[in-house]
Amino acid sequence: MTYIAKPQLHHPLLARNALGYTRRDYEGSVSTLCAGCGHDSISAAIIQAVYELELPPHRIAKLSGIGCSSKTPDYFLGNSHGFNTVHGRMPSVLTGANLANKDLIYLGVSGDGDSASIGLGQFAHAVRRGVNMLYIVENNGVYGLTKGQFSATSDKGSKSKRGVVNHDAGIDLVSIALQLGATFVARSFSGDKAQLVPLIKAGLAHKGAAFIDCISPCVQFNNHAGSTKSFDYVREHNEAVNRLDVISPRAPIHVDYAPGETVRVQQHDGSILSLHKLAELYNPGNRAQALGYLQARQARGQIVTGLLYVDPEAGDLHDSLQTVDTPLNQLGTADLVPGQAALARINAALR
């Protein structure tokens, strides 16, 4: 309900972190997503992670593209910097902002359509350049805003709500991030808050390109073909002056399973996800082994979750470019225009 404003007054006994902020201070507007959407669970995990990290909201810059997932930054960190870009172009805008002011903490939020299709090249270059950011893809395998078509991450053989079979191989953004040189790579499930919150905290604290692929169920497309009570059937047999929509509330999906365990999770549409949580003895420091592990589990039909790879000594784009310590947007004229003598020295060095 977009017209319902959240109350400005907080209970005086709400827990506060070391900065004096309550968890409510890290929230945003009321969500307009479908009830039970996995994206709202991810927003809640982001709020919890930032609250526990005790980060000042004004030091965080959140950026997104287009899609259901890219609407979510409006629902968390309402007092942070925010920029909603065009479809698939969030990574380049984030890169430019990071180059201008490296003192901010950058959080990019995208979807499988936004990052694995129109924005795949943008995603690839931001990751390979080592931009200091946490990049979260809220992956539901469909284009939710345009009525549930397959996205580029949809698994081969999966069916749409109309029973159409997907014949294209799905893009695995985790494998691509590993191959492109991301120095923090993880996958989680929106309903596993116990796993997701620590991963977000670690990704925000990581220096370099941190990437989390978060499987997030879509609750909208449960209306099966052939039902006379489905929205599609009613629309096709109704002569209406306008189009109204009602989405039946769905309960959020939650899971709780131990490291090394595999669990089968039934989605709202009856489909099954087979999630495998990394064992405690798994070594996330070997990129090649991480890729092999992913492919071996994928052959078994399992989706591996957890921290897949991390380089604790990673650098970022500013290290590669050897930029100065002062953020570029804070440099004055004397720094940016050193004068004729400096130009003469540069030209002389090139002769």
Side-chain angles (χ1 to χ4, degrees), residues 309-322:
Y309 175 77
V310 63
D311 179 359
E313 305 297 329
D316 70 345
L317 181 58
H318 287 274
D319 293 329
S320 301
L321 297 178
Q322 298 181 355

Side-chain angles (χ1 to χ4, degrees), residues 93-265:
V93 177
L94 188 152
T95 301
N98 181 276
L99 284 172
N101 187 0
K102 63 181 181 180
D103 276 356
L104 295 178
I105 300 167
Y106 289 91
L107 172 61
V109 178
S110 185
D112 40 298
D114 196 52
S115 284
S117 188
I118 189 172
L120 184 59
Q122 297 263 323
F123 167 76
H125 291 300
V127 170
R128 78 179 183 89
R129 287 171 178 148
V131 179
N132 191 14
M133 62 179 177
L134 172 57
Y135 194 122
I136 298 176
V137 167
E138 300 180 349
N139 188 352
N140 59 17
V142 297
Y143 284 96
L145 288 183
T146 52
K147 308 308 178 189
Q149 300 94 331
F150 293 122
S151 81
T153 65
S154 299
D155 294 322
K156 187 174 183 178
S158 60
K159 294 183 179 180
S160 70
K161 66 175 184 178
R162 297 182 182 275
V164 178
V165 178
N166 178 31
H167 298 291
D168 298 326
I171 291 177
D172 183 11
L173 289 173
V174 166
S175 297
I176 291 177
L178 282 167
Q179 292 171 338
L180 290 170
T183 51
F184 180 104
V185 181
R187 177 186 279 135
S188 192
F189 179 65
S190 62
D192 191 356
K193 192 175 182 180
Q195 181 192 65
L196 182 55
V197 171
L199 286 176
I200 294 174
K201 291 170 67 176
L204 287 170
H206 179 77
K207 182 179 181 181
F211 173 69
I212 300 177
D213 177 35
C214 194
I215 308 300
S216 180
C218 176
V219 300
Q220 162 67 349
F221 300 101
N222 292 328
N223 304 307
H224 58 277
S227 171
T228 59
K229 298 294 188 294
S230 68
F231 296 126
D232 292 334
Y233 184 91
V234 173
R235 285 171 180 156
E236 291 171 2
H237 296 79
N238 183 35
E239 193 69 30
V241 295
N242 54 26
R243 289 175 65 129
L244 305 176
D245 209 11
V246 176
I247 299 172
S248 302
R250 301 282 181 175
I253 300 173
H254 299 290
V255 294
D256 184 12
Y257 60 119
E261 186 180 347
T262 301
V263 64
R264 291 167 60 84
V265 183

